Structure formats: C-alpha cells, structure tokens
Amino acid sequence: MNNQTASTPPSTMEKVSAGMGRRYARERRFRVYGMLAVTLGMVFLATLLFSIVSKGYSAFQQTYMELEIHFDPEVLGIQDPNNAAQISGADYPGLVKASLRAEFPEVSNRRDKRTLYGIVSSGAAFELRQMVMQNPALLGTTQRLWVLADDDVDMLVKGHIDRNVEESGRRMSDLQIGWIDHFLDAGRMELRFNTVFLTAGDSREPELAGIRSAITGSLLTLLVTLSLSFPIGVAAAVYLEEFAPTNRWTDLIEVNINNLAAVPSIVFGLLGLAVFINFFGMPRSAPLVGGMVLTLMTLPTIIIAARAALKSVPPSIREAALGIGASKMQMVFHHVLPLAMPGMLTGTIIGMAQALGETAPLLMLGMVAFIVDIPGGVTDPATVLPVQIYLWADSPERAFVERTSAAIMVLLGFLVVMNALAVLLRKRFERSW
Amino acid sequence: MTSLELTMEKPNLAVKESRDVKHDLTSGTPEKTVGEALLDAESARMTCRDVNVYYGEKHAIKNISLDIGRNEVVALIGPSGCGKSTFLRCLNRMNDTIEICHVTGDISIDGMNIYDKKIDVVPLRAQVGMVFQKPNPFPKSIFENVAYGPRIHGLASDKHELEEIVVGSLKRAGLWDEVKDRLHAPGTGLSGGQQQRLCIARTIAVGPEVILMDEPCSALDPIATARIEELIDELRENFTIAIVTHSMQQAARVSQRTAYFHLGTLVEVGDTDDIFTNPRHRLTEDYITGRFG
C-alpha cells in the first residue's frame, strides 16, 4: 500500500493537504502575534490608568476641620457693623487664631503658636470674610464651622506622611500630630468631597487650587479652534477634492498640507507668537490666540480626513446627481457632503482631541501663566488643562502630586467624552448606499 | 488578443471554414461605416458628425457619425472597450467630468450643438437624461429620489404638483404599485430591479427628450431585465432612447436600429432586423455569431 502511493505521483489533493498544516500554523502564529500586540497595549494602558487613578483619586477628597469661631468685633477690629469697607478689611485670620488659641490654651510659646496657626488653611479666613460680608448679623455670635485644613494636615490624614518615621525626618512634628489627633479623636476633622478642586482657579496653596480656570480656558480655546478649523478645513477639502483642477499647483498644495501635519507643534507656537501677538498685537495668554494657533495645527488633520471622506463617496452618486442635471455645487452640497459628513466629523473630533491635549505651542503664547481668575471670555488671560498639569507637576508640595494626577484624570475624561461623541455622531449620520 | 486566440482554437467555433477568421482585427477596421448611419433632418433628434474622443493620448473614438431618430430605440453593441459607453456619455457631456477627456466633432440635439461654448451642461443633462449600469439611487427616500430632479430644476410650483410629478414618474416607470405604500422608505432598500426602475423614474421625472441607458440590465436577473425591457418599449412612445448593451438578444428585442462598434469605430448601422439576420460587414457577423466578444 505504502509502496504503491510512493510510486504514483501525488495527486493535487495530496499536494494541497500536505501544505495545509503549514498554512494553518502560519495563521495561528499570526493570530498569536496579534493577540500579543493587543495584550501589550492593554497592559501599558492599564498600568498608566492604574498609576494615575491610584495617585489622583484622593485629590477628590479634602480634609476639613470643625472650629468654634467667635465673631468678635473687637478681634476683627470692626467698630461700625454697617460699614462695608470696615467689614471687608477686617482681621479675619485673627478670628481663626483666636479660635485655635482657645482650643489649645496650653500652647504659649510664640513659635509653637505660629505652628498651631499653620494647621488651618489660609483660605479659612477668606471663607469667614465671605460669610460676614453676606450676613453681618453674625458679628458677636459664636458658630461651629467646618473650615479647610492645611495641605500638610491633609497629607497626614490621607496617610501620605508616615507617622512611624522619626520626628526629625518628617514634615510634621509630634506636637502638630498631637493637635491633629485631638481633632480627629473628637470627630472634628474628616475627609469631605473636594468641591474646591472643581470650582476654584489655580493657587499657590494646594488645598485652595482647582482646575476650573484651566477647564474654562481649555473649553474657550477649543471653541475658537473648532469654529475656525471646521469651516476652513471642510471648505479647503471640498475645493481641493471636488473643484480644483489637478495640476502642478494643487499637487504642491497637497504636498504642503501633508507636510504641515508633521510640523512640530512648537513651531506653530513660535509662528503664532511672531504673527498674532507681535505683528497683529493680539493679547498674550488669551484663548483667542491659542485657538488660532491650534487651528493652524489641526487644519491639516481635518483637511486630510475630510478629503479621504470625500474620496470614499462612491462615484455612482456623483454621476446620478450630474445625470439628472444637478450643477456641480448641487451635487457636492446635496449628495457628496452629507455622505462624507460622518468621516469629516470623526476627523474633526480627532483633531480637537489633539488640540485639547496640546501643550507646547501654548507655552510660546504665554498660556503657561499662573491664572487664578476664571477667564470670562476669549481675550482674558487663561491657561489650559495640559499646561495646568505641567505647572502642577513642577510644584514642590506633596499635595500637588495628587492634584496633577486628578487633573490628568479630568483631561482623560474629556478625551473619552469627545471620542465617544465622535463614535455617536458617526453612527447617527452614517447612511448606507 | 490573447482571449481572441483562445477562442479561435476552439474547434466548435470554426463553423464557417470558407471565411478567413484569423484576420488581424485592426486591419479589418473599416474606413467607412456600412449601412445608413444618417437619417433625414425630419426624423433625426440627435445628430453626431465626425466625433472623435481622446483620453489623453488614447484615441478612444474615431470619426463616428450617427443619427438618433425620434421615438426610436437605438442599440449600441460591440465588444468591451470598443467605445460605445464613451460615445453614449458624449451625448449628454458626462465625459466633461473626466479631466483628460477631449471631444471633437459636432453633436447636436434638435439642431443645437451641445458642445458649443454657450451651452450650459446643466439644462442639457435635464434634456438628455441618463440611466447607469449599476442602479445608483440616492441614499434618500423613494419619494426624495424622484423629487430631487424636479426640485432643483424648479419644475413644480408647489408641493401638490411635485407629488403629481413623482407619482406620475413612478407610474410610468412601472414601479408605483410596488412602492406606493412605502414612498418614504429608503430607495436603497429596494431590490436591484426596482432600484433600476427607480433610477429610470428619477430620470423621466425631469422630463427629458432623450434617455441614454448604459447597460441598464447588466446587474439584474432575467425577470427584472424583462420588466425593464418592457418599460423601454413603453417609453419609446415619448422618448428617444439610446441603449448600450452586451446582450444581443436584448438589442434584438428592444431596439429598432442597431449600431455595431469596434475598437473605437462605428462598423455598421442598420435596422435591427437586418443587422441580426443579414449583417453586411464581416466583423459584425463575427460578433453576432459569437466568434469573438
């Protein structure tokens, strides 16, 4: 039997089956490579997210402490409770100090006293001022109030300062820890949701620093970018793809657009500095200029995506429209553009996400400034989320570490929302033909 | 050429031994068209004189003169790449969309030269409608597909009139009974044959005088094809039709006159019955007897 098969030449089927094992092995190998690549990517992503979230989640909670505040007009130095200027200029830090002194009468040393005052955030005095200005009737009364604790206290409560380390080696003395434990044991110090982080602007004091101004700045910048780059990008793509003749000039333009997409963003920043700020005299640090520079940067992305979307519209639709006497304009705007819209929107949102995460060109435009106020318009000084992250990552205070990570979480959240929006829009506008 | 040689080798095709079938096709190309390509001025709707088409360097159509008469169906037949689609697309200037395409000669509709500089292609294409090889309805509702043409040309003064045009066109295209309950369903959801009739309805909704059909049945099954052929016969009463087809049976069934194209030249024109029963040129005979193509 064996001899017989060996002597006759193998049939086609035998040849095919002989190679099948090798073919399948190759396929299996390819699958394994693919799985490995995906797994590797997922592992890195998971590591990144874990590192950010584990560092940053605690920033959404902040230590508050309960103080018994006696609104003593004498301490405040207010003679006339109806005088608004006096109320606004009064010595509110004195109230906090008095309260702390009453809490710990045994502290008499001048230096210890100053350390004691340090466990309450300097923001507490502003809060008291706000309260009295809104309600002058508080003067003379005694209130139990929850105020912000200092960032070092916060770090201790969150366990970022190790109590087991020798006293000389840690940021807090045993004395300070004793005071804090006094509050903790009495249930007068606890972690609460950190509203300051989401409602305040930047600050030198970590417990008072928030990302609201950066978020507002980012949104204003993106608004400018979107309202400039989408119409310009789509118009350029439609003209180049549908109307422009193919000649040396359009070839040159195409090459240049593709090149621009690869130009380092810092170069666009320098261009914006030279042209918009120095030549046209536009305001520094403003979302308007930032948005214009980011427009230059995202335009190539949008134009390339939009042209690809236009190219993918089947020619039969164009012929159908032209065949019944539609003009070129009608063909483009009634038929081609609606079909290309999902692709264009996807490209635009990808460009916007790119712009949202862009830092380098904005450094050139002065958007790296320390901005406490929340910008009210596109010409107000502002900073953006990634620049805020950069600034905080550079700050020495331990409490800024978690804020940096928390700001990254917020930025990633925005990116996820934008990309989800892109998918949603594509699903909504997608039509079959 | 290779495919040609392959067919030559098949013994069952060498029926007519008396003829020399191994001729070179290019040398067999005639200088002059055989048959009656030209009609008298009275019955001709479109007249083409000495039409040449170049795609860049390539000379795609060589010196073609052909008239298309009123209320007749002219079938353009010939092997692939012989220029019949190119010629058809010259008749409503669809070739304008191809940048490297260049047309010379004289093509007139009712005595008006359509390649004149003063002629606007937009109204021309409303006058000379076109149905394409692959059904290409817009990704919109059935109603919108038909209503689009009248709307952009401003043919209806109000909604009611527009509806009348749409319903009338769908009825003439023989599609009304099948779609009257779902006018607002997407046109792309219809079957292939229905889509092609929708495209015909869309074309006639604009009220053209001439309808050009570029292999309208090549993507359809025999039943849908029969339906379209019936429709073409009905449309002949009101329209002049030029149809490109690869099916000789179809040409024989629907057309009154047939033109045979070969490598960019018009070889023979004549009454359909004569062409299929008694071809005068050897190339025509070879093609219709299935010797090549």
Side-chain angles (χ1 to χ4, degrees), chain B residues 115-227:
Chain B
Y115 277 88
D116 194 291
K117 281 206 177 88
K118 277 177 267 174
I119 291 289
D120 188 352
V121 292
V122 169
L124 170 72
R125 286 182 192 145
Q127 207 177 356
V128 185
M130 189 151 191
V131 176
F132 297 88
Q133 184 171 4
K134 209 178 127 224
N136 55 356
F138 298 129
K140 298 182 185 210
S141 73
I142 293 169
F143 183 90
E144 282 303 315
N145 260 287
V146 184
Y148 181 69
R151 196 174 279 152
I152 57 170
H153 293 300
L155 299 183
S157 52
D158 56 27
K159 227 180 133 191
H160 184 68
E161 208 175 322
L162 185 67
E163 269 168 28
E164 254 174 38
I165 294 177
V166 171
V167 173
S169 306
L170 284 170
K171 278 182 178 159
R172 283 163 90 186
L175 193 61
W176 174 246
D177 289 334
E178 291 156 65
V179 300
K180 62 184 172 196
D181 301 325
R182 45 172 176 155
L183 281 180
H184 296 284
T188 42
L190 297 172
S191 75
Q194 288 172 328
Q195 285 190 18
Q196 195 61 296
R197 275 180 281 150
L198 178 63
C199 293
I200 293 175
R202 182 176 67 187
T203 306
I204 57 185
V206 184
E209 293 162 14
V210 181
I211 301 178
L212 311 173
M213 297 187 173
D214 191 356
E215 297 179 47
C217 302
S218 65
L220 305 182
D221 69 20
I223 297 167
T225 303
R227 192 76 193 74

Side-chain angles (χ1 to χ4, degrees), chain A residues 84-151:
Chain A
Q86 250 182 37
I87 289 182
S88 115
D91 178 23
Y92 294 98
L95 283 186
V96 178
K97 287 174 187 169
S99 160
L100 285 167
R101 276 198 307 272
E103 196 79 45
F104 303 100
E106 72 277 6
V107 180
S108 50
N109 185 329
R110 216 182 127 92
R111 230 179 73 199
D112 287 353
K113 271 188 189 166
R114 199 182 302 148
T115 326
L116 175 63
Y117 301 152
I119 67 169
V120 176
S121 163
S122 57
F126 289 106
E127 218 173 303
L128 295 179
R129 175 169 168 259
Q130 209 68 36
M131 285 172 75
V132 176
M133 281 172 71
Q134 267 171 14
N135 183 13
L138 282 172
L139 286 173
T141 63
T142 304
Q143 306 274 338
R144 295 184 79 87
L145 295 173
W146 285 89
V147 296
L148 267 174
D150 189 61
D151 59 304

Side-chain angles (χ1 to χ4, degrees), chain A residues 246 316 319 322 324 334-335, chain B residues 89 99 122 125 136 148 153:
Chain A
T246 40
S316 62
E319 287 194 328
L322 290 179
I324 52 171
H334 294 166
H335 300 287
Chain B
R89 290 167 65 94
E99 254 178 75
V122 169
R125 286 182 192 145
N136 55 356
Y148 181 69
H153 293 300

Side-chain angles (χ1 to χ4, degrees), chain B residues 57-101:
Chain B
E57 294 291 298
K58 191 171 173 274
H59 196 172
I61 286 194
K62 298 161 190 161
N63 268 326
I64 287 186
S65 297
L66 178 67
D67 285 357
I68 298 166
R70 288 166 203 280
N71 300 56
E72 74 166 0
V73 178
V74 175
L76 313 179
I77 61 170
S80 294
C82 67
K84 51 195 190 306
S85 285
T86 300
F87 177 72
L88 194 74
R89 290 167 65 94
C90 286
L91 299 180
N92 70 344
R93 291 184 59 178
M94 278 303 275
N95 279 338
D96 288 11
T97 56
I98 303 164
E99 254 178 75
I100 55 165
C101 182

Side-chain angles (χ1 to χ4, degrees), chain A residues 406-419:
Chain A
I408 296 173
M409 281 160 73
V410 172
L411 181 64
L412 287 181
F414 273 110
L415 289 176
V416 168
V417 168
M418 285 175 78
N419 288 326

